[in-house]
Structures are given as structure tokens and as C-alpha cells.
Amino acid sequence: NAGVMQNPRHLVRRRGQEARLRCSPMKGHSHVYWYRQLPEEGLKFMVYLQKENIIDESGMPKERFSAEFPKEGPSILRIQQVVRGDSAAYFCASSSEKQGYTNEKLFFGSGTQLSVL
Amino acid sequence: SQKIEQNSEALNIQEGKTATLTCNYTNYSPAYLQWYRQDPGRGPVFLLLIRENEKEKRKERLKVTFDTTLKQSLFHITASQPADSATYLCALGGNAGNNRKLIWGLGTSLAVNP
């Protein structure tokens, strides 16, 4: 039973390019979360999605960042016109649904390390 | 503002001893608290969840306590092993069934020496 799969593991982009980060949740999980982690800041919530819906994007910058979780295929976090400050580890997590509520337990992928030159 | 603090200094202990990690919080009333383990270059791995109405939770060599009066959780690893070396994160959840607004600590690095 595969866990949360993220790719690529490492992504190098030059300033101004686009970065696309992919996440396939655990089988049976319909809730996906994206987090950003910097060594001195800890994990920061970015966006929460269910299939075809963005539920909460309050942690995501309004410009240049977007996320989707289509009916078929992985969730995508897209960063347009990357800047050096976007360099970080981006983690995807998924959870199942329990009795109509989100199961609090999160399963994380191994992350994508984005480096902007 | 809401704040969560974990031991910022790395914890070094001898194999076989009990490791105790601390998570303190202020300006918050969490419905539950979680502990995760994170290894370098990997994502966090869920270990334990304890709810506000629970005082203590155990799982094999792990024990978590939750004191809502002191606003503190303690995480214990008994009979520690070198394989327990990792960074341990605590996270607070404000509402049951809602982990969108989890607040994460920066983590405590644990090194268990053989």
C-alpha cells in the first residue's frame, strides 16, 4: 500500500521560471494538504484541497501560487515566476475521512526540495 | 498571538535511558495535540495523538502527557535506541476533525548515543 508520493524530490529552477510539484495521496484518502518548511520557521500550512475543490487556501500567497486536485490524477502545487525566497521544502500530506470529519492524523510525503537559482 | 515552543537545543542521551521532550504553548486552547517524527530529508511521520480530555497516552515505548492547565505536553521515549535519533515535532489542533489549522513547533532534535 503505497504512501503519499511526491515528485520530483529535488527541483532546481532559475528565477522567473515555473515550478510544478506533484502529490499523489494515499489510496483512499480524499483530503490533501500542502505545507512549506524552512529550517527556522517550521511547517507552515499553505492549502487544503478535496477532490476538485479548494477548501482553504488561507496560507498560500495570493500571487504566483496555485493548487489543484483534479478528479483524476495527482494534486499539483504550481509556483509561477519563482523567486529565491520560494526556495524551501514543500510537503504534501493526506488524510482520510472519519464519520464525516477529517481524520486528524496526517500522512506526509517525502517532500520536494525546491531550489531557485 | 498563538505560540508553541519546543526545546530548541538538541537532546543527547545514552542508549537505554528515557528521553523526555517538551512542548509548551500559549494563547491557545487546542482540542488535541499530535507528535510526529521527522528524519532528515523526509516528511513527518505520525506517532501519537492526545485529546484535551485525555491526560496520558501510550504506544509501545512512547508515552505522551497533556496538561491543559500548564499548557504543556511531555513526550517520553523509554529504553531509547540509536534508531530513535530524529527530530520530533509537536502540533496543536484547534478543532476535532479539522487539521487545517494545525500549529507546528520547530521540533527538538534527539540523538541517542550507543
Side-chain angles (χ1 to χ4, degrees):
Chain A
N1 187 13
V4 178
M5 304 300 291
Q6 286 190 252
N7 66 82
R9 285 299 310 276
H10 302 276
L11 183 61
V12 179
R13 285 287 178 264
R14 297 192 179 280
R15 281 180 298 169
Q17 292 184 318
E18 178 180 289
R20 278 184 180 239
L21 288 61
R22 295 175 190 78
C23 169
S24 295
M26 279 188 73
K27 188 176 180 180
H29 285 191
S30 56
H31 304 260
V32 166
Y33 310 78
W34 285 93
Y35 283 86
R36 169 187 160 117
Q37 188 176 41
L38 285 167
E40 305 306 318
E41 296 181 9
L43 275 166
K44 298 294 184 188
F45 166 80
M46 297 182 72
V47 61
Y48 162 49
L49 310 102
Q50 293 182 28
K51 280 287 186 183
E52 300 185 275
N53 287 305
I54 297 175
I55 307 301
D56 184 345
E57 56 183 350
S58 60
M60 197 161 65
K62 295 201 181 334
E63 296 182 357
R64 301 189 300 109
F65 286 73
S66 63
E68 62 177 14
F69 189 15
K71 187 176 180 181
E72 301 290 339
S75 175
I76 306 286
L77 178 67
R78 184 181 176 205
I79 311 173
Q80 295 178 289
Q81 299 174 332
V82 295
V83 300
R84 289 220 173 97
D86 296 332
S87 297
Y90 291 84
F91 288 98
C92 168
S94 72
S95 68
S96 61
E97 195 162 297
K98 178 183 71 174
Q99 299 173 339
Y101 292 94
T102 306
N103 193 327
E104 296 97 338
K105 180 178 172 181
L106 291 175
F107 292 83
F108 282 83
S110 292
T112 294
Q113 181 63 52
L114 173 65
S115 299
V116 180
L117 306 179
Chain B
S1 61
Q2 300 159 349
K3 197 173 178 183
I4 181 170
E5 288 185 352
Q6 296 187 248
N7 316 61
S8 56
E9 292 183 13
L11 184 63
N12 280 274
I13 64 167
Q14 208 62 33
E15 183 176 7
K17 300 291 185 185
T18 295
T20 298
L21 285 67
T22 306
C23 178
N24 295 301
Y25 59 93
T26 55
N27 299 323
Y28 201 56
S29 295
Y32 63 91
L33 185 148
Q34 302 185 44
W35 284 89
Y36 286 77
R37 168 189 173 135
Q38 187 172 22
D39 292 281
R42 313 296 292 185
V45 175
F46 173 83
L47 296 174
L48 280 167
L49 180 152
I50 187 165
R51 299 191 185 279
E52 59 179 331
N53 60 348
E54 297 174 316
K55 296 286 187 193
E56 182 179 298
K57 209 91 174 269
R58 291 177 186 260
K59 179 183 174 184
E60 297 172 353
R61 295 184 296 112
L62 309 180
K63 184 178 89 171
V64 172
T65 63
F66 194 11
D67 189 326
T68 54
T69 301
L70 290 178
K71 294 187 182 294
Q72 180 182 79
S73 174
L74 298 178
F75 178 77
H76 307 274
I77 306 175
T78 58
S80 60
Q81 304 165 359
D84 295 326
S85 300
T87 296
Y88 291 85
L89 307 172
C90 70
L92 303 179
N95 303 103
N98 178 348
N99 48 17
R100 260 174 274 169
K101 301 298 185 185
L102 281 177
I103 301 173
W104 292 82
L106 292 179
T108 297
S109 176
L110 171 67
V112 180
N113 305 307

